[in-house]
């Protein structure tokens, strides 16, 4: 069962070393902020799992298919590994992921899906001092450090990604992808971005 963090709620530990949440589910996310929730805080912990994940089993899973999965929320100092995506961060207005690490996940480290049925979608996550490394596998066949999927809507990234770091991911460091010629991905701001051995 995915741990639900309600709107206005917090889930925080004593640090990425002392606090480790281990999932035994092959299909569920580890932590799921409430769909449409606001002012949620998830901080100072590690997420992992003891079984091989399927394509729905992510570390932190914010909702997709909604205008805003969360609003004005914060993920801080979280380490996520052994999931399908380390972090699946859906549409938001002005949320933050700070000092987060995605490592040794089966597919993308950080995955950003646009709103699935809108004419435009805001993926306005500010990333600061993040690390995505050793993600991807032959099982998934893909695995970028950071992957923005703009296939379903005109996508606005908007907020800056400051010091995002990518190292040794299976299929690349930073991917901004739209498979539809009618959809665009706008306002990409990478500041001091590093990609190496991807």
């Amino acid at each position: 069962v995915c741990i639900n963090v309600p709107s206005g709620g917090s889930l925080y530990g004593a640090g990425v070393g002392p606090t480790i949440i281990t999932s035994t589910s092959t299909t569920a996310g580890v932590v799921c902020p409430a769909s449409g929730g606001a002012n949620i805080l998830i901080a100072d912990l590690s997420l992992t799992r003891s079984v091989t994940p399927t394509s729905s089993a992510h570390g932190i899973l914010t909702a997709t298919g909604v205008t805003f999965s969360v609003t004005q929320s914060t993920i801080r100092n979280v380490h996520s590994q052994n999931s399908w995506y380390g972090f699946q961060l859906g549409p938001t207005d002005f949320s933050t992921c700070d000092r987060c690490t995605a490592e040794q996940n089966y597919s993308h480290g950080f995955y950003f899906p646009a709103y699935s049925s809108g004419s435009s979608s805001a993926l306005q996550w500010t990333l600061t001092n993040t690390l995505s490394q050793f993600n991807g596998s032959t099982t998934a066949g893909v695995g970028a450090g950071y992957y923005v999927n703009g296939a379903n809507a005109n996508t606005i990234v908007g907020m800056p990604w400051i010091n995002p770091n990518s190292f040794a991911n299976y299929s690349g460091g930073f991917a901004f992808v739209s498979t539809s010629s009618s959809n665009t991905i706008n306002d990409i701001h990478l500041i001091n971005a590093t990609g190496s051995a991807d």
Side-chain angles (χ1 to χ4, degrees):
V1 176
C2 197
I3 299 170
N4 179 267
V5 185
S7 186
S10 299
L11 175 66
Y12 58 91
V16 296
T19 303
I20 301 173
I21 299 173
T22 302
S23 173
T24 58
S25 173
T26 61
T27 58
V30 183
V31 175
C32 298
S35 178
N39 302 306
I40 293 169
L41 171 64
I42 301 166
D44 300 327
L45 47 84
S46 292
L47 309 174
T48 189
R49 69 182 68 235
S50 59
V51 292
T52 301
T54 60
S55 60
S56 62
H58 313 309
I60 289 184
L61 171 62
T62 67
T64 59
V66 295
T67 304
F68 294 120
S69 58
V70 294
T71 63
Q72 300 175 26
S73 295
T74 299
I75 304 169
R76 184 181 65 234
N77 195 30
V78 173
H79 182 276
S80 181
Q81 66 179 16
N82 298 328
S83 287
W84 194 257
Y85 304 140
F87 298 82
Q88 178 172 303
L89 305 178
T92 189
D93 61 339
F94 310 113
S95 291
T96 300
C97 189
D98 174 47
R99 289 176 289 142
C100 294
T101 299
E103 183 175 25
Q104 295 179 331
N105 295 287
Y106 281 72
S107 186
H108 309 306
F110 292 84
Y111 177 67
F112 302 85
Y115 178 38
S116 63
S117 59
S119 59
S120 63
S121 181
L123 288 172
Q124 295 173 318
W125 285 92
T126 296
L127 269 59
T128 53
N129 302 311
T130 55
L131 172 63
S132 192
Q133 65 179 2
F134 306 121
N135 297 291
S137 64
T138 54
T139 302
V142 293
Y146 304 81
Y147 191 102
V148 174
N149 183 355
N152 298 312
N154 290 322
T155 301
I156 303 166
V157 177
M159 306 307 291
W161 293 5
I162 304 169
N163 298 329
N165 299 285
S166 177
F167 178 74
N169 295 290
Y170 183 86
S171 60
F174 298 86
F176 297 85
V177 179
S178 176
T179 56
S180 169
S181 60
S182 62
N183 294 329
T184 60
I185 300 174
N186 301 306
D187 298 334
I188 299 168
H189 303 278
L190 300 180
I191 302 171
N192 294 331
T194 301
S196 177
D198 291 308

